[in-house]
Amino acid sequence: MAQSRELYEAIVNGDAKQAHAVTQAAIEAGIGPMTLISESMIPAMDEVGRLFEEEEYFVPELLLAGRAMKGAMELLRPLMTASGEKLSARVVIGTVKGDLHDIGKNIVASMLEGSGFEVIDLGADVSSEAFVAAVKERKPQFVCLSALLTVTMPSMKTTIDALGNAGLRTQVKVLVGGAPVTMQYANEIGADGYSENASGAVGLIRRLLEGA
Amino acid sequence: MRLKLISCQVLTREMNHILSRSPHSIVAEMLPMGLHDLGASMRPHLQERIDAADRDGYDAILLGYALCGRGTEGLRAGKTQLVLPRAHDCIGLLMGSRLRYQAYFDTHPGVYFRSPGWIEHQVPGQALEPAHSAVCRTSGERQTREELIAQYGEDNGDYLFEQFNAYRRRYSGLTYISSGVESEDAFRSSARAEAEKEGWTFEVIEGSLALLEQLVNGTWGAADFLVVPPGAIVHGTLGDTIVEAL
């Protein structure tokens, strides 16, 4: 389908206006949201992730692709709500308490959203209580925690412990990331996974879903 | 004792004050403050200086550093033991205690820190950064709005600039850590002017030289210092002790 190809290219090129226009045209032409997601968005975000891994794309390109994808998704979301179509998994994401930095978290959130997951973004400086409340109310399969400062990394452990104390730990997989975070730290605090970057986070969730 | 001090330039005035009063024989070497921006990639630079000092047979090599965004993680002691204060970054060092820093940070997450060294050694024109942002920088994050627009077009350039600088809007204060060394009035005034210019709240807190004095004077209690024995490496635990030797 021409529209699918055009949307794919608009996202990869980070062209938000084009992505919006093409999506609008596709909807009017009767193409379903799940078709656009599976044939355009997911392959586009995979390609963006690949280009990032190969160091052809950097943070700005990831942000621009995410922006283009989000604009298209905003048009599709009401249609999906109306038709009752569900995405493959629900993810709650946020930067942990004390940490005001959210660029990395935002990139991961948009990569996940563009990869076909439902993303509930709690923002930055999110308390463990807020994570617990979101898990109770929204029942996600995954919780993604981000930290940029070593001084706020202990908040990741606090959040994992709070999920345990609330009896919710076995209901969700907790994934951690951020510049100073390591696989070893993830293991030490009892996280279920760690990713070094946003495209890795997509792959990690896919693997965990397959294994589940 | 015969000691070698390898320290970040940000502590120059505090270290000079303490060194002039130390009972030990100390050779000091100050490394550029810009290493801070490298995050974990600061390590090879420090390791090279440690290895060079290792050949000279000191009783210990003192590190005027903290975990510094994992920039000291993985440092290896050669034949000479290494001594590293237990702190996340230089703000903890200048406050004299990681616990005091943690308590302050918990109630003030959105402040920039300044100290004499942060003002004296900052490169002119360099963008203002939180003292603790040891982030591995990828292209784009330090570009001006004009540079981003030139590269990505007006709409996307604007968007990127907003994204990269959104966190700054959540920072609302500037805290000057007075270290009590002589002639710091100009630095304090400079910090106040910076806060006024940006419309941030301004606070002066009294720092403490206690931790740095203990480092230089050789009183390395296990509660506040990691002594890395020959052949061992620094590991960041991020727990209460922050660092351990492996």
Side-chain angles (χ1 to χ4, degrees), chain A residues 49-70:
Chain A
R50 188 189 70 79
L51 290 167
F52 180 76
E53 299 274 355
E54 296 191 356
E55 297 187 0
E56 284 188 46
Y57 271 16
F58 296 94
V59 168
E61 287 80 12
L62 294 189
L63 285 168
L64 295 177
R67 181 193 189 198
M69 177 281 302
K70 275 186 181 174

Side-chain angles (χ1 to χ4, degrees), chain B residues 168-187:
Chain B
R168 292 177 192 279
R169 283 193 287 278
R170 301 191 196 103
Y171 276 71
S172 58
L174 190 149
T175 297
Y176 179 82
I177 305 171
S178 167
S179 51
V181 296
E182 295 81 3
S183 309
E184 69 168 320
D185 289 355
F187 301 125

Side-chain angles (χ1 to χ4, degrees), chain A residues 14 58-61 63-64 67 98 100-103 106 124 148-154 180 182 184-185 188, chain B residues 67 69-70 88 101-102 105 109-110 130 132 135 138-140 152 155-156 159-160 163-164 167 170-171 235 237-238:
Chain A
F58 296 94
V59 168
E61 287 80 12
L63 285 168
L64 295 177
R67 181 193 189 198
L100 305 182
H101 304 82
D102 62 359
I103 292 178
N106 291 344
L148 193 70
L149 309 173
T150 61
V151 72
T152 58
M153 281 168 63
T182 60
Q184 186 174 0
Y185 185 68
E188 283 170 7
Chain B
L67 182 56
R70 292 193 184 270
H88 280 284
Y101 175 36
Q102 188 76 53
F105 185 90
H132 39 60
V135 187
T138 320
S139 63
Y152 296 99
D155 186 44
N156 274 342
Y159 176 77
L160 289 174
Q163 291 292 307
F164 288 140
Y167 82 90
R170 301 191 196 103
Y171 276 71
H235 169 59
T237 63
L238 282 308

Side-chain angles (χ1 to χ4, degrees), chain B residues 48-61:
Chain B
E48 189 211 334
R49 301 318 304 150
I50 289 168
D51 293 346
D54 195 43
R55 296 190 280 270
D56 296 335
Y58 292 102
D59 293 309
I61 297 171

Side-chain angles (χ1 to χ4, degrees), chain B residues 188-202:
Chain B
R188 190 190 303 237
S189 301
S190 164
R192 181 187 298 278
E194 191 177 1
E196 282 172 2
K197 179 169 166 259
E198 300 288 345
W200 295 325
T201 57
F202 180 67

Side-chain angles (χ1 to χ4, degrees), chain B residues 12-85:
Chain B
T12 302
R13 283 186 181 247
E14 291 80 9
M15 285 299 191
N16 283 339
H17 176 92
I18 297 164
L19 288 167
S20 67
R21 291 160 177 78
S22 173
H24 303 296
S25 166
I26 305 177
V27 176
E29 178 176 350
M30 295 291 167
L31 300 186
M33 193 173 148
L35 292 176
H36 156 96
D37 293 339
L38 300 177
S41 302
M42 177 170 86
R43 187 189 69 212
H45 295 271
L46 294 191
Q47 188 68 58
E48 189 211 334
R49 301 318 304 150
I50 289 168
D51 293 346
D54 195 43
R55 296 190 280 270
D56 296 335
Y58 292 102
D59 293 309
I61 297 171
L62 315 177
L63 298 173
Y65 285 91
L67 182 56
C68 300
R70 292 193 184 270
T72 57
E73 183 161 47
L75 285 176
R76 180 179 294 277
K79 299 192 298 285
T80 318
Q81 59 184 340
L82 301 176
V83 185
L84 179 68

